[in-house]
Amino acid sequence: MRSKTHLFRSAAFAAMGALLLTSCGGGGGGGSTPTPTPTPTPTPTPTTVYTPPAAEALTTADVERVLAQAISEAQARSLPSVIAVTDRVGNVLGVFRMTGARATATTAPAPNGVNIDAQNVTFPAEGGAIAKAVTGAYLSSGGNAFSTRTASQIVQEHFPPAPTTVGLESGPLFGVQFSQLPCSDLSARFGAPGAAALIGPKRSPLGLAADPGGLPLYKNGVLVGGIGVMGDGVYGSDPNILDIDNDSEEFIALAGTRGFEAPGAITADKITVDGTSLRFSDATFAGVMSSGSASFASLNGTAGNLVAVIGYANAAVTAGIAYGSEASGIRASTPAEFSNRDAFVLTNGSGTNRYPLRAGTDGATNSAPLTQAEARAVLEEAFTVMSRARAQIRRPLDSRAQVTISIVDTHGSVLGIVRSPDAPIFGTDVSLQKARTAAFFSGAQAGGELGADASADVRQFVPATRTFLNNPAALTGTIAFSDRANGNLSRPYFPDGEVGRPQGPLSRPIAQFNPFSTGLQSALIIGNLGAHLGFVSGASPTDTPPRCTTLPDVAAGQNRLQNGIQIFPGSVPIYRGNQLVGAIGVSGDGIDQDDMISFLGAHNGGARVGGIGNAPAAIRADTVVVNVGAGVRLRYISCPFAPFLDTANQNVCNGL
């Protein structure tokens, strides 16, 4: 076991880089991408098209059953483990440490052995178990069941990850692992003063996990939480989907889901992305070794004990909260909060919307801030586009897309967050990351604020970007960056996936890269992550503050990237003429759907109220050609084929 000094050694190295965004459909091909000016859609009417999930929750008896089943399987496999159960919004309902379980786990090392960021970091095993449970719950919904194995497949540098797929683009959710961060200002905290105990969404100790051993839990077909298992001490990912792993942690987690398993029709292996089936679990019930008949009472105190986890849980079993209730932190909106009756909002547990629609807060530095009416128009129109869109990752086929939509001003302040009833929880934090990322990198201050960061590693991404683009004015507001464009610059190969090419200027080189060190994205937050893991381990009495990065403040106690950045598609900046005034971010379905909803939402909202809209075509990132070989044009947005359920129209994003 390592010393606590070594535990956070990587934080001192923090950064090199990759920010901004790409996607499974992103790519960095040489052709220009048409950018849209479609016909505005009508103002939303107060009708409903979605069915909210039924009110289901794990009882204490349910949690004990899940734990007992997992403990029994761990015993049968002679792998003492730490097992965590959460509800759908991330509340930790119980953490069980088996006698003899490893105290710590370690993230994967750098390929070249020079460990930076979160590479080769040792942390309390409880943190890994909770992160896996959160991932199983947060990536899933009533229309899709995803696991940490699914996450592994979609976050790596090639999709699908396998020795035979070198040269393909990166995963569609490349970078999503650095979301739900413990420093996020959106995520609620266990035991926070004055906070309702079970308000969500809650943070994760390590962001989202890509290590097999995390699965969602369903009750009567309704998503109610997740289970995570940490037993082997290795917290990594699966680099080869062509074989079937015999992973004991995954078998233990699967045994825990007995009676709460995901409906077979919606598991990830029934869902395809770009023609590739996703993975759900290499473990099957046929391979489970235990009967699952042992009671929790017979195991608690003999096989191990419930344990407290600093910042996450008491040493007790707690019942979950039904998603959609006031107490869960996410509920249906009122007519006064949002016009569309399908809309859900985040709440404080006492009836108050945490992110009500409001005008821009950036009047001191922006002469024409977004008005409340403009923010409302963009969110309402984006919601309408979503409700017409054909989903990518939901079953049955031809389901409606379900996402979370966030809008911010140029300071990164939230002007409104709205979501569909069954959108995956992970998209809440991610949509805000995306909006803030697009606003930040499109702003005049991006280079200056990155250059003023406390980390020299973060600072070096500015000259690297300007050199790569052969543009000394880059990151000074002269280019409008979408998350797809930023993602092109954040891949360990440029163009994305093409081996033998240099890395993008916001990425680590491939010899240094793995999912625990992506570049600027990881460099910005590694100090916060190290501080939090020290707090969880008990080595430090001080937790990371609810603000990621050490960028300069733009307002008292606030920087522009309070929950970090995201580097896969789904956001665009918003302009008033040539002036940046904010951004919209979308997350929860396919990345092309996320792109379309953000782009058309900004366009249609602007057409409705007049005066605002998407960036002028002349400054969009797809006007930038990078001179590598024959020249590669950055991407701006990519809209899906056959995007809508109510029309056969194609190319809905084509325009000027």
Side-chain angles (χ1 to χ4, degrees), residues 331-345 353 418:
R331 59 156 170 81
S333 66
T334 66
E337 290 169 335
F338 202 73
S339 63
N340 193 300
R341 294 296 75 237
D342 281 313
F344 273 46
V345 297
N353 184 349
V418 67

Side-chain angles (χ1 to χ4, degrees), residues 108-122:
N112 63 4
V114 182
N115 298 305
I116 56 179
D117 294 343
Q119 294 171 328
N120 205 41
V121 169
T122 299

Side-chain angles (χ1 to χ4, degrees), residues 164-379:
T164 56
T165 62
V166 174
L168 297 184
E169 293 177 326
S170 55
L173 267 63
F174 181 95
V176 76
Q177 64 270 31
F178 287 105
S179 67
Q180 331 304 318
L181 293 166
C183 52
S184 171
D185 62 328
L186 177 138
S187 298
R189 298 189 173 196
F190 170 77
L198 295 178
I199 287 298
K202 290 290 198 304
R203 59 186 180 166
S204 167
L206 294 155
L208 294 182
D211 186 41
L215 294 169
L217 297 168
Y218 287 76
K219 185 174 180 179
N220 297 321
V222 178
L223 176 65
V224 289
I227 178 174
V229 177
M230 196 75 245
D232 61 14
V234 177
Y235 188 80
S237 57
D238 180 9
N240 183 9
I241 69 159
L242 298 181
D243 58 3
I244 302 298
D245 295 339
N246 183 12
D247 191 297
S248 291
E249 291 178 331
E250 195 165 49
F251 272 105
I252 295 166
L254 184 68
T257 70
R258 188 185 277 121
F260 303 94
E261 58 265 37
I266 65 169
T267 52
D269 54 310
K270 311 303 190 305
I271 294 170
T272 61
V273 174
D274 285 352
T276 296
S277 295
L278 298 179
R279 298 291 287 276
F280 183 64
S281 173
D282 283 1
T284 65
F285 282 108
V288 169
M289 297 178 176
S290 56
S291 67
S293 60
S295 69
F296 181 74
S298 70
L299 296 169
N300 188 26
T302 58
N305 294 280
L306 291 164
V307 293
V309 182
I310 299 172
Y312 290 90
N314 295 320
V317 169
T318 304
I321 292 293
Y323 166 81
S325 65
E326 177 69 29
S328 74
I330 301 175
R331 59 156 170 81
S333 66
T334 66
E337 290 169 335
F338 202 73
S339 63
N340 193 300
R341 294 296 75 237
D342 281 313
F344 273 46
V345 297
L346 274 66
T347 181
N348 70 349
S350 300
T352 301
N353 184 349
R354 288 176 58 194
Y355 299 106
L357 281 159
R358 60 173 177 165
T361 68
D362 51 353
T365 56
N366 175 11
S367 62
L370 284 166
T371 66
Q372 184 187 59
E374 289 168 339
R376 178 181 293 277
V378 170
L379 280 179

Side-chain angles (χ1 to χ4, degrees), residues 21-23 170 174 487-493 496 503-504 507 567:
L21 312 94
T22 191
S23 94
S170 55
F174 181 95
N488 292 164
L489 302 176
S490 302
R491 299 302 189 265
Y493 298 110
D496 185 16
Q503 78 270 18
S507 175
I567 56 174

